[in-house]
């Protein structure tokens, strides 16, 4: 019944985690969910107010712009200028997205032909892979290892794969490893892309979730970045707006134009009131972001301390709201956590073959619940 292309698409891993979680909940079991990264903090009030006000205006009840309201694109341009000192033309170098997942999935449809390779990090966000497969492209996994600070080694990509590659995905601060990348890495990436005629797409959705004074760079700060690539960003994590589905892609105008051609044929744009909410987020006070990071940092410290107390070696991440923990077997560990402690963590294998010895913890639950999770692990004898 289904199209053959679906045979190559694995089930979306987080949907499987949700299914196991629902089963436990239906049995009356109290689950502590440290799995999927959906912020538990409320969207800041001034952003919600902007949404409500805009939704009450009948002028906003019609089809929105395919590429995004000009006011939204200008707000994005201003934010990139003030945050990263990067200049982007709001008319040619910015497009709205229904969350960055929208752009991640649809971009390969504009540039990848059957037989072209897409270079994806492993472990990495699963949609990098599935977007390539839906476009009938081939996937080459770039291993992210602790020995290399979870950065891909471009020289390790076989020359025959490079020649057939159209697109490379980069993601720092990284999901799931929480690794960070220096600007020198992006300069190296630009040189690699130039030499091999490959498009770079930087997924920078976690740049604002940072701790201990760390400030994440943008790929577009690298010399010549706009000549070879674009960056995708999302308001989901920064402003606790996951349900709003709003993000943006910025950078090389031809790559933006290609993405726009696809999107004008598959959706009708982002609802205007959501764009007004995003404008309020990008142009309004940023104390809400600092406050959220302070909350996540406190949770991080409690979780790191707790895991060390039960015997694990773990470093405190500088960014994202994830903690990447090395174990013997991620799938078996996550199953044990669920069965013996009623705790959901995400096995690293869900992010690619090179994540099989890891699990990902999320910081999107209260300190009280994190402390309770550590207590449950101690009671079950789960530790290193």
């Amino acid at each position: 019944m289904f199209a053959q292309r679906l045979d190559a698409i694995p089930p979306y891993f987080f949907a499987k985690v949700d299914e196991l979680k629902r089963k436990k909940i239906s049995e009356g079991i109290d689950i502590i969910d440290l799995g999927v990264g959906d912020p538990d903090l409320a969207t800041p009030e001034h952003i919600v107010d902007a949404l409500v006000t805009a939704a009450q205006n009948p002028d906003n009840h019609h089809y929105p712009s395919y590429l995004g309201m000009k006011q939204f694109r200008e707000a994005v341009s201003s934010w990139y200028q003030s945050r990263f000192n990067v200049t982007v033309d709001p008319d040619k170098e910015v497009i709205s997205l229904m969350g960055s997942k929208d752009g991640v999935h649809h971009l390969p449809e504009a540039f990848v032909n059957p037989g072209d390779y897409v270079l994806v990090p492993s472990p990495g966000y699963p949609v990098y892979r599935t977007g390539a497969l839906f476009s009938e492209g081939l996937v080459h996994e770039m291993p992210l290892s602790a020995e290399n600070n979870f950065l891909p080694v471009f020289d390790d990509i076989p020359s025959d794969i490079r020649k057939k590659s159209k697109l490379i995905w980069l993601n720092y601060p990284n999901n799931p490893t929480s690794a960070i990348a220096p600007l020198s890495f992006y300069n190296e990436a630009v040189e690699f892309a130039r030499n091999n005629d490959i498009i770079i797409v930087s997924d920078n959705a976690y740049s604002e979730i940072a701790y201990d004074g760390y400030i994440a760079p943008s790929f577009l700060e690298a010399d010549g970045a706009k000549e070879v690539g674009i960056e995708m960003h999302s308001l989901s994590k920064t402003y606790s707006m996951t349900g709003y589905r709003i993000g943006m892609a910025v950078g090389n105008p031809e790559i933006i134009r290609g993405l726009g051609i696809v999107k004008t044929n598959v959706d009708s744009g982002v609802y205007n009131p959501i764009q007004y909410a995003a404008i309020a987020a990008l142009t309004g006070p940023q104390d809400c972001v600092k406050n959220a990071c302070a909350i996540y940092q406190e949770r991080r410290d409690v979780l790191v301390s707790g895991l060390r107390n039960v015997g694990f070696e773990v470093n405190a991440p500088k960014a994202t709201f994830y903690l990447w923990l090395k174990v013997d077997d991620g799938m078996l560990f996550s199953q044990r956590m669920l069965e013996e402690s009623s705790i959901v963590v995400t096995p690293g294998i869900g992010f690619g073959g090179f994540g099989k010895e890891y699990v990902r913890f999320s910081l999107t639950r209260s300190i009280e619940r994190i402390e309770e999770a550590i207590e449950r692990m101690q009671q079950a004898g789960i530790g290193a």
Side-chain angles (χ1 to χ4, degrees), residues 329-339 343 345-347 359:
D329 184 307
M331 182 64 76
L332 292 177
F333 182 88
S334 63
Q335 289 174 346
R336 186 182 177 196
M337 287 280 279
L338 184 58
E339 291 169 1
I343 300 168
V345 296
T346 307
V359 292

Side-chain angles (χ1 to χ4, degrees), residues 162-163 165-167 191-199:
R162 296 186 204 181
K163 292 176 183 177
S165 294
K166 185 63 68 72
L167 193 66
E191 189 67 19
F192 170 78
R194 279 176 174 157
N195 292 340
N196 294 280
D197 194 22
I198 296 173
I199 294 169

Side-chain angles (χ1 to χ4, degrees), residues 17 21 24-25 29-36 303 334 337-339 341-346 360-377 379:
V17 172
K21 183 176 67 175
K24 284 282 188 179
I25 293 174
I29 296 173
D30 177 33
I31 296 291
I32 300 177
D33 187 357
L34 302 178
V36 176
L303 181 57
S334 63
M337 287 280 279
L338 184 58
E339 291 169 1
S341 301
S342 300
I343 300 168
V344 174
V345 296
T346 307
R360 190 191 74 178
F361 286 74
S362 177
L363 303 176
T364 56
R365 292 296 178 265
S366 69
I367 285 178
E368 291 75 20
R369 291 296 265 175
I370 292 172
E371 290 175 336
E372 184 179 352
I374 295 297
E375 290 176 7
R376 291 187 188 184
M377 291 175 68
Q379 292 170 0

Side-chain angles (χ1 to χ4, degrees), residues 74-220:
E74 289 175 340
V76 170
S77 177
S78 295
W79 186 80
Y80 258 85
Q81 185 69 58
S82 61
R83 172 60 178 85
F84 300 111
N85 196 29
V86 167
T87 301
V88 290
D89 182 345
D91 294 323
K92 298 179 180 179
E93 298 178 339
V94 181
I95 188 173
S96 65
L97 302 174
M98 294 178 177
S100 54
K101 183 178 181 179
D102 163 27
V104 170
H105 176 83
H106 288 303
L107 184 76
E109 295 175 353
F111 297 99
V112 175
N113 292 311
D116 287 341
Y117 274 94
V118 176
L119 306 176
V120 304
S122 177
Y125 183 43
V127 186
Y128 304 146
R129 170 184 291 273
T130 57
L133 295 175
F134 268 112
S135 301
E136 300 182 54
L138 303 174
V139 172
H140 176 78
E141 290 191 342
M142 301 181 294
L144 306 186
S145 67
E147 292 76 15
N148 293 313
N149 298 315
F150 297 105
L151 298 171
V153 179
F154 300 126
D155 288 343
D156 288 349
I157 300 170
S159 59
D160 60 326
I161 299 294
R162 296 186 204 181
K163 292 176 183 177
K164 300 177 182 177
S165 294
K166 185 63 68 72
L167 193 66
I168 181 172
W169 288 100
L170 304 177
N171 169 221
Y172 296 95
N174 182 259
N175 172 27
T177 70
S178 72
I180 57 177
L183 188 57
S184 59
F185 168 77
Y186 289 133
N187 286 325
E188 180 186 350
V190 169
E191 189 67 19
F192 170 78
R194 279 176 174 157
N195 292 340
N196 294 280
D197 194 22
I198 296 173
I199 294 169
I200 292 178
V201 188
S202 165
D203 178 2
N204 203 13
Y206 293 91
S207 68
E208 306 312 290
I209 309 300
Y211 317 117
D212 305 322
Y214 174 69
I215 300 175
S218 164
F219 155 73
L220 294 179

